[in-house]
CSV table of all heavy atoms in Angstrom, one decimal:
chain,number,residue,atom,x,y,z
A,345,PRO,N,96.1,87.2,98.5
A,345,PRO,CA,96.5,88.5,99.0
A,345,PRO,C,97.8,88.4,99.9
A,345,PRO,O,98.0,89.2,100.9
A,345,PRO,CB,95.4,88.8,99.9
A,345,PRO,CG,94.9,87.6,100.6
A,345,PRO,CD,95.2,86.5,99.5
A,346,HIS,N,98.7,87.7,99.4
A,346,HIS,CA,100.0,87.5,100.2
A,346,HIS,C,101.0,88.5,99.6
A,346,HIS,O,101.0,89.0,98.6
A,346,HIS,CB,100.4,86.1,100.3
A,346,HIS,CG,99.4,85.1,100.8
A,346,HIS,ND1,99.1,85.2,102.1
A,346,HIS,CD2,98.6,84.3,100.2
A,346,HIS,CE1,98.1,84.3,102.3
A,346,HIS,NE2,97.8,83.8,101.2
A,347,ILE,N,102.1,88.6,100.5
A,347,ILE,CA,103.2,89.5,100.2
A,347,ILE,C,103.9,89.0,98.9
A,347,ILE,O,104.2,87.8,98.8
A,347,ILE,CB,104.2,89.6,101.3
A,347,ILE,CG1,103.4,90.3,102.5
A,347,ILE,CG2,105.4,90.4,100.9
A,347,ILE,CD1,104.2,90.4,103.8
A,348,PRO,N,104.2,89.9,97.9
A,348,PRO,CA,104.0,91.3,97.9
A,348,PRO,C,102.4,91.5,97.5
A,348,PRO,O,101.9,90.8,96.6
A,348,PRO,CB,105.0,91.7,96.8
A,348,PRO,CG,105.1,90.6,95.9
A,348,PRO,CD,104.9,89.4,96.7
A,349,MET,N,102.0,92.6,98.0
A,349,MET,CA,100.6,92.9,97.8
A,349,MET,C,100.4,94.1,96.8
A,349,MET,O,100.4,95.2,97.1
A,349,MET,CB,99.9,93.4,99.2
A,349,MET,CG,99.9,92.2,100.1
A,349,MET,SD,99.1,92.6,101.7
A,349,MET,CE,100.5,93.2,102.6
A,350,PHE,N,100.4,93.6,95.6
A,350,PHE,CA,100.2,94.6,94.5
A,350,PHE,C,98.8,94.4,93.9
A,350,PHE,O,98.2,93.2,93.7
A,350,PHE,CB,101.1,94.3,93.3
A,350,PHE,CG,102.5,94.5,93.6
A,350,PHE,CD1,103.5,93.4,93.7
A,350,PHE,CD2,103.1,95.7,94.0
A,350,PHE,CE1,104.7,93.5,94.0
A,350,PHE,CE2,104.5,95.9,94.3
A,350,PHE,CZ,105.3,94.7,94.4
A,351,SER,N,98.0,95.5,93.8
A,351,SER,CA,96.8,95.5,93.2
A,351,SER,C,96.6,96.8,92.4
A,351,SER,O,97.1,97.9,92.7
A,351,SER,CB,95.7,95.5,94.4
A,351,SER,OG,95.9,94.4,95.1
A,352,PRO,N,95.6,96.8,91.4
A,352,PRO,CA,95.4,97.9,90.6
A,352,PRO,C,94.8,99.0,91.6
A,352,PRO,O,94.1,98.7,92.5
A,352,PRO,CB,94.3,97.4,89.7
A,352,PRO,CG,94.5,96.0,89.4
A,352,PRO,CD,95.1,95.5,90.8
A,353,LYS,N,95.0,100.2,91.3
A,353,LYS,CA,94.5,101.4,92.0
A,353,LYS,C,93.0,101.3,92.5
A,353,LYS,O,92.7,101.6,93.5
A,353,LYS,CB,94.9,102.7,91.3
A,353,LYS,CG,94.5,104.0,92.2
A,353,LYS,CD,94.8,105.2,91.4
A,353,LYS,CE,94.5,106.5,92.2
A,353,LYS,NZ,93.2,106.6,92.8
A,354,ARG,N,92.2,100.8,91.5
A,354,ARG,CA,90.8,100.9,91.8
A,354,ARG,C,90.4,100.0,92.9
A,354,ARG,O,89.4,100.2,93.6
A,354,ARG,CB,90.0,100.4,90.5
A,354,ARG,CG,90.3,99.0,90.1
A,354,ARG,CD,89.5,98.8,88.7
A,354,ARG,NE,89.9,97.4,88.3
A,354,ARG,CZ,89.1,96.4,88.1
A,354,ARG,NH1,87.9,96.5,88.4
A,354,ARG,NH2,89.6,95.3,87.6
A,355,PHE,N,91.3,99.0,93.3
A,355,PHE,CA,91.0,98.2,94.5
A,355,PHE,C,91.4,98.8,95.8
A,355,PHE,O,90.8,98.7,96.7
A,355,PHE,CB,91.6,96.8,94.3
A,355,PHE,CG,90.9,96.0,93.2
A,355,PHE,CD1,91.6,96.0,92.0
A,355,PHE,CD2,89.8,95.4,93.5
A,355,PHE,CE1,90.9,95.2,90.9
A,355,PHE,CE2,89.1,94.6,92.5
A,355,PHE,CZ,89.8,94.5,91.1
A,356,TRP,N,92.5,99.7,95.7
A,356,TRP,CA,93.0,100.4,96.8
A,356,TRP,C,92.0,101.5,97.1
A,356,TRP,O,91.8,101.7,98.2
A,356,TRP,CB,94.3,101.1,96.5
A,356,TRP,CG,95.5,100.1,96.5
A,356,TRP,CD1,95.7,99.2,95.5
A,356,TRP,CD2,96.5,100.2,97.5
A,356,TRP,NE1,97.0,98.6,95.9
A,356,TRP,CE2,97.4,99.2,97.1
A,356,TRP,CE3,96.8,100.9,98.7
A,356,TRP,CZ2,98.6,98.8,97.8
A,356,TRP,CZ3,97.9,100.6,99.3
A,356,TRP,CH2,98.8,99.6,98.9
A,357,ASP,N,91.4,102.1,96.0
A,357,ASP,CA,90.4,103.0,96.3
A,357,ASP,C,89.2,102.7,97.0
A,357,ASP,O,88.4,103.4,97.6
A,357,ASP,CB,90.0,103.7,95.0
A,357,ASP,CG,91.1,104.6,94.3
A,357,ASP,OD1,92.2,104.8,95.1
A,357,ASP,OD2,91.0,104.9,93.0
A,358,LEU,N,88.9,101.3,96.9
A,358,LEU,CA,87.8,100.8,97.7
A,358,LEU,C,87.9,100.9,99.2
A,358,LEU,O,86.8,100.8,100.0
A,358,LEU,CB,87.6,99.3,97.5
A,358,LEU,CG,87.1,98.9,96.0
A,358,LEU,CD1,87.2,97.4,95.8
A,358,LEU,CD2,85.8,99.5,95.6
A,359,TYR,N,89.1,101.1,99.7
A,359,TYR,CA,89.4,101.2,101.1
A,359,TYR,C,90.2,102.5,101.5
A,359,TYR,O,91.5,102.4,101.7
A,359,TYR,CB,90.2,99.9,101.5
A,359,TYR,CG,89.4,98.6,101.1
A,359,TYR,CD1,89.8,98.0,100.0
A,359,TYR,CD2,88.4,98.3,102.0
A,359,TYR,CE1,89.1,96.9,99.6
A,359,TYR,CE2,87.7,97.0,101.6
A,359,TYR,CZ,88.1,96.3,100.4
A,359,TYR,OH,87.5,95.3,100.0
A,360,PRO,N,89.5,103.6,101.5
A,360,PRO,CA,90.2,104.9,101.9
A,360,PRO,C,90.9,104.6,103.2
A,360,PRO,O,90.4,104.2,104.2
A,360,PRO,CB,89.1,105.8,102.0
A,360,PRO,CG,88.0,105.3,101.3
A,360,PRO,CD,88.1,103.8,101.3
A,361,ARG,N,92.1,105.0,103.3
A,361,ARG,CA,92.9,104.8,104.5
A,361,ARG,C,92.3,105.4,105.9
A,361,ARG,O,92.5,104.8,106.9
A,361,ARG,CB,94.4,105.3,104.4
A,361,ARG,CG,95.4,104.6,105.3
A,361,ARG,CD,96.8,104.8,105.1
A,361,ARG,NE,97.1,104.4,103.7
A,361,ARG,CZ,98.0,104.9,103.0
A,361,ARG,NH1,98.7,105.8,103.4
A,361,ARG,NH2,98.2,104.5,101.6
A,362,GLU,N,91.7,106.5,105.7
A,362,GLU,CA,91.2,107.2,106.8
A,362,GLU,C,89.9,106.5,107.4
A,362,GLU,O,89.4,106.8,108.5
A,362,GLU,CB,90.9,108.7,106.5
A,362,GLU,CG,89.8,108.9,105.4
A,362,GLU,CD,90.4,108.9,104.0
A,362,GLU,OE1,91.5,108.6,103.8
A,362,GLU,OE2,89.5,109.0,103.1
A,363,LYS,N,89.4,105.6,106.6
A,363,LYS,CA,88.1,104.8,107.1
A,363,LYS,C,88.4,103.4,107.6
A,363,LYS,O,87.7,102.7,108.1
A,363,LYS,CB,87.1,104.7,105.9
A,363,LYS,CG,86.5,106.1,105.6
A,363,LYS,CD,85.4,105.9,104.6
A,363,LYS,CE,84.7,107.2,104.4
A,363,LYS,NZ,83.6,107.1,103.5
A,364,ILE,N,89.8,103.0,107.5
A,364,ILE,CA,90.2,101.7,107.8
A,364,ILE,C,90.3,101.6,109.4
A,364,ILE,O,90.9,102.5,110.0
A,364,ILE,CB,91.6,101.4,107.2
A,364,ILE,CG1,91.4,101.1,105.7
A,364,ILE,CG2,92.2,100.1,107.9
A,364,ILE,CD1,92.7,101.0,105.0
A,365,VAL,N,89.7,100.6,110.0
A,365,VAL,CA,89.8,100.2,111.3
A,365,VAL,C,90.8,99.3,111.5
A,365,VAL,O,90.9,98.1,111.0
A,365,VAL,CB,88.5,99.7,112.0
A,365,VAL,CG1,88.7,99.4,113.4
A,365,VAL,CG2,87.4,100.8,111.7
A,366,LEU,N,92.0,99.7,112.2
A,366,LEU,CA,93.1,98.7,112.4
A,366,LEU,C,92.8,97.6,113.4
A,366,LEU,O,92.2,97.8,114.3
A,366,LEU,CB,94.4,99.6,112.8
A,366,LEU,CG,94.9,100.6,111.9
A,366,LEU,CD1,95.9,101.4,112.4
A,366,LEU,CD2,95.2,100.0,110.6
A,367,PRO,N,93.3,96.4,113.0
A,367,PRO,CA,93.0,95.4,113.9
A,367,PRO,C,93.8,95.4,115.1
A,367,PRO,O,94.8,95.9,115.1
A,367,PRO,CB,93.4,94.1,113.0
A,367,PRO,CG,94.3,94.6,112.0
A,367,PRO,CD,93.9,96.0,111.7
A,368,ASN,N,93.3,94.8,116.2
A,368,ASN,CA,93.9,94.8,117.4
A,368,ASN,C,94.9,93.5,117.5
A,368,ASN,O,94.3,92.6,117.4
A,368,ASN,CB,93.0,94.9,118.6
A,368,ASN,CG,93.7,94.7,120.0
A,368,ASN,OD1,94.9,95.0,120.1
A,368,ASN,ND2,93.0,94.4,121.0
A,369,ALA,N,96.2,93.8,117.5
A,369,ALA,CA,97.0,92.7,117.5
A,369,ALA,C,97.4,92.2,119.0
A,369,ALA,O,98.2,92.8,119.6
A,369,ALA,CB,98.3,93.0,116.7
A,370,ASP,N,96.6,91.2,119.3
A,370,ASP,CA,96.7,90.7,120.8
A,370,ASP,C,98.1,89.9,120.8
A,370,ASP,O,98.2,89.0,120.1
A,370,ASP,CB,95.5,89.8,121.1
A,370,ASP,CG,95.6,89.4,122.6
A,370,ASP,OD1,96.6,89.4,123.2
A,370,ASP,OD2,94.6,88.8,123.0
A,371,PRO,N,99.0,90.4,121.7
A,371,PRO,CA,100.2,89.6,121.8
A,371,PRO,C,100.2,88.2,122.2
A,371,PRO,O,101.1,87.4,122.0
A,371,PRO,CB,101.0,90.4,122.9
A,371,PRO,CG,100.1,91.2,123.6
A,371,PRO,CD,98.9,91.4,122.7
A,372,ARG,N,99.0,87.7,122.8
A,372,ARG,CA,98.8,86.3,123.2
A,372,ARG,C,98.0,85.5,122.1
A,372,ARG,O,97.7,84.4,122.4
A,372,ARG,CB,98.0,86.2,124.5
A,372,ARG,CG,98.8,87.0,125.6
A,372,ARG,CD,97.8,87.1,126.8
A,372,ARG,NE,96.7,87.9,126.4
A,372,ARG,CZ,95.3,87.8,126.9
A,372,ARG,NH1,95.1,86.8,127.7
A,372,ARG,NH2,94.5,88.7,126.5
A,373,ASP,N,97.8,86.2,121.0
A,373,ASP,CA,97.0,85.5,120.0
A,373,ASP,C,97.5,84.2,119.4
A,373,ASP,O,96.8,83.4,119.0
A,373,ASP,CB,96.9,86.5,118.8
A,373,ASP,CG,95.8,86.1,117.7
A,373,ASP,OD1,94.7,85.6,118.1
A,373,ASP,OD2,96.2,86.2,116.5
A,374,LEU,N,98.8,84.0,119.4
A,374,LEU,CA,99.4,82.7,118.9
A,374,LEU,C,99.6,81.6,120.0
A,374,LEU,O,100.0,80.5,119.5
A,374,LEU,CB,100.8,83.1,118.2
A,374,LEU,CG,100.8,84.3,117.2
A,374,LEU,CD1,102.2,84.5,116.8
A,374,LEU,CD2,99.9,83.9,116.1
A,375,GLU,N,99.3,81.8,121.1
A,375,GLU,CA,99.5,80.9,122.2
A,375,GLU,C,98.8,79.5,122.0
A,375,GLU,O,99.3,78.5,122.4
A,375,GLU,CB,99.1,81.4,123.6
A,375,GLU,CG,100.0,82.5,124.0
A,375,GLU,CD,99.6,83.1,125.4
A,375,GLU,OE1,98.5,82.7,125.9
A,375,GLU,OE2,100.3,84.1,125.8
A,376,ASP,N,97.6,79.5,121.3
A,376,ASP,CA,96.9,78.3,121.1
A,376,ASP,C,97.2,77.6,119.7
A,376,ASP,O,96.7,76.6,119.4
A,376,ASP,CB,95.4,78.5,121.2
A,376,ASP,CG,95.0,79.6,120.1
A,376,ASP,OD1,95.7,80.3,119.6
A,376,ASP,OD2,93.7,79.6,119.9
A,377,LEU,N,98.2,78.0,119.1
A,377,LEU,CA,98.6,77.5,117.8
A,377,LEU,C,99.8,76.4,118.0
A,377,LEU,O,100.5,76.5,119.0
A,377,LEU,CB,99.2,78.5,116.9
A,377,LEU,CG,98.3,79.5,116.4
A,377,LEU,CD1,99.0,80.5,115.5
A,377,LEU,CD2,97.1,78.9,115.7
A,378,PRO,N,99.9,75.4,117.1
A,378,PRO,CA,100.9,74.4,117.2
A,378,PRO,C,102.2,75.1,117.1
A,378,PRO,O,102.4,76.3,116.5
A,378,PRO,CB,100.7,73.4,116.0
A,378,PRO,CG,99.3,73.8,115.5
A,378,PRO,CD,99.0,75.2,116.0
A,379,LYS,N,103.3,74.5,117.7
A,379,LYS,CA,104.6,75.0,117.7
A,379,LYS,C,105.2,75.4,116.2
A,379,LYS,O,105.8,76.5,116.2
A,379,LYS,CB,105.6,74.2,118.3
A,379,LYS,CG,107.1,74.6,118.4
A,379,LYS,CD,107.9,74.0,119.4
A,379,LYS,CE,109.4,74.5,119.4
A,379,LYS,NZ,109.7,75.7,118.8
A,380,VAL,N,104.9,74.6,115.3
A,380,VAL,CA,105.3,75.0,114.1
A,380,VAL,C,104.8,76.3,113.5
A,380,VAL,O,105.4,77.1,112.8
A,380,VAL,CB,105.1,73.8,112.9
A,380,VAL,CG1,103.6,73.6,112.8
A,380,VAL,CG2,105.8,74.0,111.7
A,381,ALA,N,103.5,76.5,113.7
A,381,ALA,CA,102.9,77.9,113.5
A,381,ALA,C,103.5,78.9,114.2
A,381,ALA,O,103.6,80.1,113.7
A,381,ALA,CB,101.4,77.6,113.7
């Protein structure tokens, strides 16, 4: 599922945008990763 994200319409239809719960992007989320990451 990496960029570019192309999929047939039937897979998009499984996830109506109005029902999607957006993830919370914590600005500190990357602090515990190695420097290269």
